[in-house]
Amino acid sequence: MSDRYISLEGKVIAPGKLRMSKAKDMVRALRSGLLDWVRLIECRRVDSSARIQSNDEEDQVLDVVIFDVDVEVPQRKVFDIHRVERIAVGFSALDKNYPETVALREDFPLVPHRNIRLEDRPVSLCLFDEPYSEIKLRWTAQWFIECIRTWLAKTATGTLHAADQRLEPLLLPSTVSLVLPSEFITDVDDKISERLTVFPVFSGPDRYSLVARRSDSLGGMEATKTLPQFVTTVIQGDPQPHGIIRRHPRTLRDLHEFLRSANIDLLSTLRERLRSLREDKRLLDATLIIIVILPKTRDVSGRVEAYDTLAFMLAGLIDREQTRADKRPEGFLKIREVGRRVGVWEPSNGVLGALLPMDVSKQGDQITVGMLNPCFTLTRQRAARLNGLATRYDKKITAVGAGALGSQVFLTLIREAFGEWVLIDKDLFLPHNSARHVLYGIMVGYAKVEPLADIANDIIDGKPIAAAVVADVLDPGLAARDVEKGLKEADVIFDFSASIAVARHLSHDVDSAPRRISVFLNPSGSDLVVLAEDGERRTRLASLEMQYYRFLTLEPALRDHLRGADGKIRYGLSCRDLSSTISEEHVALHAATASRALRRVLEQEGAAIAIWEADDEDITVKTFRPPPSPTVEMQRGDWTLCTDGYLMDKVRRLRSEKLPVETGGVLMGSFDMQHKIVYVVDSLPSPPDSQERRTSYIRGNAGLQEQVEGIKKITGGHLSNVGEWHSHPTGYGCAASGDDRKLFRWIEEQMARDGLPPVMLILGDDGQAGWHVGRILD
Amino acid sequence: MPKLTFYTLGNGDCCLMDLDDGKKLLFDYADKRNRNDKNDRRCDLPSELRTDLNGAQRDDYDVVAFSHLDLDHIQGSSEFFYLEHDKKYQDDTRKKIKDMWVPAAIIVEDADTCGEEHLIIQKEARHRLKNRKGIRVFSRPAVLEDWLKKQGMDLDSVRHLITDAGQTVPGFDLQADGVEFFVHSPFGKRLNEKEVVDRNCDSLVLQVTFACDGNETYMMLGADAPHEILSDMVDVTRAHKREDRLKWHVFKLPHHCSYLSLGPEKGKTKTEPVPNVKWLFEDQGQEGGIIVSTSDVIPSVDTDLPPHRQAANYYRDVVADLDDEFKVTMEHPNQASPKPMVITVDSLGAKVVKRNTSGSAAVISTPAPRAGAKNE
């Protein structure tokens, strides 16, 4: 038993006569003895033909190297690749495109990953999915030969590519892309359709793409003001287990024959549809695009799992030179001419006379077919998949703030089709914003959120993925209802505002269920901070903010975290990024980190505090993740006391360590005067000059001032001393004694000078804690 | 995926089997290379095996099977393996054997006349059997009875270390381990109701079954079995209606492509197999079958010693189908520079690996030659 091979004709030449260095290298490699599993058969010089074509149009003569390869094939093969295959590689002297590589065996299987050519055999191997210019960088003959052998071996085991991968006619010289709306297939209409408006987009005198949009998605003006250059007609075939186009159809008749296996009568359908157009002069001079949709099944009886879309344009039967010229879209046949060539009408005296009956002897032999390369706009699913996300987060996100960081995080997540968005911001986009914002020039003057939503909806096809609400979330005015809706109906609220006021407002004033997550940069832009509430909002944003300050005081590496780019710490101001001097490099770096962090946080229900610190010199990033502590909240008169497990554990531990004597110290925290909340997050050690006795405690002051100043400096004044605490000995609860009341009054007098309430904590047996804010609790 | 490596040893056997769970099994060991002959194309077996073990960061084999005591199956093993019976074979460069597999002949036969190497391996096998550890003996249990009695040992105390023909080797489960070993030889041939003749001289013949994702792939390891043994083996297996146990996708030929494993007559151009052997090769071979001859290059002229071109011609006819292969270790991938042949097994069956290793990958797979300002 032996295999029969297709002859390439041309003439056999001595290897020395090869013109192309790659061809010579190949022969050298094949003869070197360094490569196993290969045997040179012969070299030929042939003219480009249907058997082996030149991929460089300007050079139609090929140096062909023919050789046998041994293939690693398994015993149970997926495709019938033989242990020995004969391969021909055709090199053009120009070396501008891939050498054409074909398998010469007469019955080589029509495997999935091959190039579409005028004849189905010899099969042209589709070896690469990279541009030739990239491949050339690592090209050696040895490497190329191994690529061929690997292609064959993997084809034999069916592991070359995912089984459902579409045929990619990469090397088709006349490839013109036709971009179709993604939802197009699920919405097929059997008419010659004006619902798609097709524009050519030129990128050079003979290079163009065709972009189809739904006519109803364009303003009425655009759709009608010019005569349509193209019209589309869509034909759907019966479900197929396999592709039906095995080679490039040459003529309309050829295509008709192919489509019959999908139960499509192309010529009759076309005649029928063209006839209805005869009166519509607007369309007669347009070029016809035939779109064929073939539902694909995994096996003969299976359900439809995917669709193959094929698209064709029609040209007259002309010679090669003309074909080249006719690569411009206007070189293709007008509908007027197509109708004549398939026997629908005949022109007479400048009008089209309908043929009744139609002339079915005209079968489209005089019409050549150009294959288009259909591709689809980006859907949510595809975007997620291309980003390596197995499942898409499809919940509602309301984002407050659309500044530099927010806009970049937003578009990063949009490109991953992450979430369905409402953007809320009042700011207008001004020229200086371009230094770090994703918006640019032509959007100047618009409210930032509007062009941002437009861009998002342009990136992701289908129903809008983002909506804009132009409003100040703190003072929404006329937009109050939209803002409320956005904040109530969301599954999560992202706070990109870089404003403490907004974060606190979202934390306390807005009554809605979704967890809040704040994302902001430190004043110099070197560090990113993410504060995330837990799913049930037990630990709220404002509490996380305080814990974040506490962490800054505990972590020596973050001592300068709140220092501005000018090296100064701004007291009393918002410490987050406002229009200060920040490098776009930092914003871009942290936008990527923040996007990933947001995705990760949403995979879990727990609260989170995270800080990413970028080294200014080499941009290495260090991460800090202090564990959030559960919030402890209680009402004391008009005041809300907000502390957490960290502080309570700490003071309880200090009490028991000092028993039998009392101890105490200064409480650190912050007052929110607007919301009447006092946050207590830490205590300073009992100063060394304190007097700790069995039933009394006198807090000393040695070194205290210095310590408090240090903490204020690190936290930009956000943490300061807010009150005092002391412990009661064993056998006592936390009820305030007479001395305690005196102490409280003293605190009250002192704090009154700042307009702040007194805060005191007493700790007794069994972990009892007595909090007194504003007045003594009886 | 399970991997088989057949080393290029001329007329000599050594097949390394790597299993999915990391187990390494070695079938025979024949270091045949002449170190003084620069042109010897046979591989440096100890060095190949050491490199492999280094890569796996281990210094032992789960199983080393010696099919019989001929030199072309054991040569040099007393220099390579760590042997438990004598301290002089125990330096730390030696490779340990967790379980040694031997046919009963290696225990019971008089090896004195066969040479030094044979004696050492026999001593090791006997030592292990006496200690009842690290050994598996293949035969009818009764065969060992006399020898055990001489050692003052009781058959029942070692019965768990003996596997008879028609059984699968304990410790390897097709479901759990993806591999199973079925013992064909040594076997006892039943002459009549009562009498059984033991073929004590028999070498160890196994059918290996690999299971990958529900697909089974079979391999015959033929040792040096001559046609008489193969023929009897076929009779016995058929009598038990277990023809499946003679199916093969990969066949390691007996005796380096000797005509004697096919039939009594060499033949002029092609050896004619006896009917049972013919059936074994022609009817039991599965699609895409791979026949492996662990031998020298097939000569173009008549030779006394194997490989015999007439036998090779027969095998070439067996693999006449384009999907089948007849592979000769010393011809793989070519005669000029043969390299160890690797066969992988997965759900698509077995395939001979045919890859050109890249030079840069090869450089880092071995130590570099010495460099330095001063020659030593």
Side-chain angles (χ1 to χ4, degrees), chain B residues 5 35 59 64 108 163 186 191 228 285 293 319 335 340 343 353 375:
Chain B
T5 308
R35 280 180 177 61
D59 62 357
V64 175
V108 301
T163 306
L191 293 181
E228 297 91 338
S293 171
V319 301
Q335 299 181 12
I343 292 178
V353 172
N375 292 331

Side-chain angles (χ1 to χ4, degrees), chain A residues 507-637:
Chain A
S507 180
H508 290 291
D509 301 340
V510 177
D511 180 22
S512 72
R515 68 198 291 204
R516 278 71 154 152
I517 303 175
S518 270
V519 179
F520 56 91
L521 298 179
N522 69 339
S524 73
S526 64
D527 300 1
L528 168 73
V529 182
V530 172
L531 305 176
E533 294 182 347
D534 59 291
E536 296 187 342
R537 301 203 65 213
R538 290 214 182 98
T539 303
R540 300 215 166 179
L541 213 45
S543 171
L544 292 167
E545 179 196 339
M546 293 300 149
Q547 298 189 35
Y548 149 64
Y549 297 138
R550 174 172 68 211
F551 184 67
L552 298 182
T553 70
L554 298 175
E555 174 53 60
L558 293 175
R559 221 136 252 205
D560 293 332
H561 172 82
L562 290 181
R563 218 170 267 279
D566 54 5
K568 290 186 188 144
I569 296 228
R570 273 165 287 269
Y571 283 87
L573 283 175
S574 163
C575 58
R576 302 178 186 181
D577 145 51
L578 287 172
S579 274
S580 45
T581 307
I582 284 182
S583 161
E584 159 62 9
E585 292 152 8
H586 277 136
V587 179
L589 171 74
H590 288 312
T593 309
S595 305
R596 172 64 64 97
L598 287 169
R599 278 209 298 111
R600 287 272 186 268
V601 162
L602 289 178
E603 285 166 7
Q604 287 162 4
E605 283 293 295
I609 300 171
I611 302 165
W612 287 265
E613 181 197 33
D615 184 287
D616 209 32
E617 289 302 313
D618 62 7
I619 302 293
T620 49
V621 178
K622 203 166 158 191
T623 312
F624 301 91
R625 292 180 185 278
S629 183
T631 304
V632 177
E633 220 176 74
M634 62 198 80
Q635 203 61 34
R636 290 290 180 269

Side-chain angles (χ1 to χ4, degrees), chain B residues 147-352:
Chain B
W147 183 85
L148 287 168
K149 213 174 274 171
K150 272 185 218 159
Q151 316 303 317
M153 290 173 73
D154 175 21
L155 178 60
D156 281 341
S157 72
V158 295
R159 206 179 278 277
H160 63 290
L161 300 173
I162 303 170
T163 306
D164 197 358
Q167 297 177 339
T168 56
V169 179
F172 293 91
D173 179 74
L174 199 55
Q175 302 304 319
D177 308 302
V179 69
E180 178 179 85
F181 299 90
F182 180 89
V183 183
H184 277 294
S185 165
F187 58 95
K189 189 176 182 184
R190 190 166 289 277
L191 293 181
N192 51 47
E193 288 278 296
K194 286 181 183 160
E195 278 179 285
V196 177
V197 170
D198 286 301
R199 310 297 305 251
N200 280 354
C201 59
D202 295 354
S203 51
L204 178 58
V205 177
L206 298 168
Q207 185 214 34
V208 190
T209 303
F210 299 98
C212 297
D213 301 332
N215 278 307
E216 294 189 349
T217 300
Y218 312 111
M219 173 167 76
M220 294 295 299
L221 287 171
D224 269 4
H227 69 90
E228 297 91 338
I229 298 280
L230 290 176
S231 197
D232 283 354
M233 220 173 74
V234 167
D235 281 339
V236 171
T237 311
R238 276 173 160 173
H240 286 97
K241 300 204 182 331
R242 305 183 78 168
E243 284 87 344
D244 274 2
R245 291 300 191 175
L246 290 168
K247 281 186 178 167
W248 57 271
H249 290 92
V250 180
F251 204 127
K252 201 285 307 174
L253 287 184
H255 212 188
H256 325 298
C257 200
S258 161
Y259 77 90
L260 286 170
S261 292
L262 288 172
E265 302 294 336
K266 197 192 267 180
K268 198 161 184 191
T269 56
K270 189 168 95 176
T271 307
E272 191 55 41
V274 296
N276 275 2
V277 174
K278 184 179 168 71
W279 174 83
L280 175 61
F281 279 103
E282 296 176 29
D283 291 4
Q284 294 302 89
Q286 307 298 300
E287 196 183 333
I290 302 166
I291 293 178
V292 180
S293 171
T294 50
S295 70
D296 283 324
V297 171
I298 307 295
S300 51
V301 295
D302 232 2
T303 51
D304 287 341
L305 291 174
H308 298 122
R309 64 181 178 87
Q310 294 89 338
N313 284 339
Y314 170 72
Y315 296 125
R316 288 189 185 115
D317 275 2
V318 171
V319 301
D321 190 282
L322 282 175
D323 282 333
D324 300 335
E325 268 187 306
F326 174 62
K327 301 293 300 178
V328 177
T329 47
M330 289 307 284
E331 297 179 2
H332 175 91
N334 55 60
Q335 299 181 12
S337 61
K339 298 181 187 89
M341 175 165 64
V342 175
I343 292 178
T344 58
V345 182
D346 60 20
S347 61
L348 299 178
K351 71 181 171 203
V352 179

Side-chain angles (χ1 to χ4, degrees), chain A residues 1 3 34-37 70-78 82-83 146 149 157, chain B residues 216-217 249 288 322-323 325 332-334 339 347-348 350-356:
Chain A
M1 227 187 298
D3 287 325
L34 295 173
L35 286 183
D36 294 317
W37 323 115
D70 293 327
V71 187
E72 191 180 298
V73 296
Q75 292 174 323
R76 294 180 272 267
K77 291 181 283 195
V78 176
H82 288 186
R83 287 195 195 279
E146 282 306 283
R149 294 201 328 110
T157 53
Chain B
E216 294 189 349
T217 300
H249 290 92
L322 282 175
D323 282 333
E325 268 187 306
H332 175 91
N334 55 60
K339 298 181 187 89
S347 61
L348 299 178
K351 71 181 171 203
V352 179
V353 172
K354 297 174 181 173
R355 270 164 238 173
N356 284 301

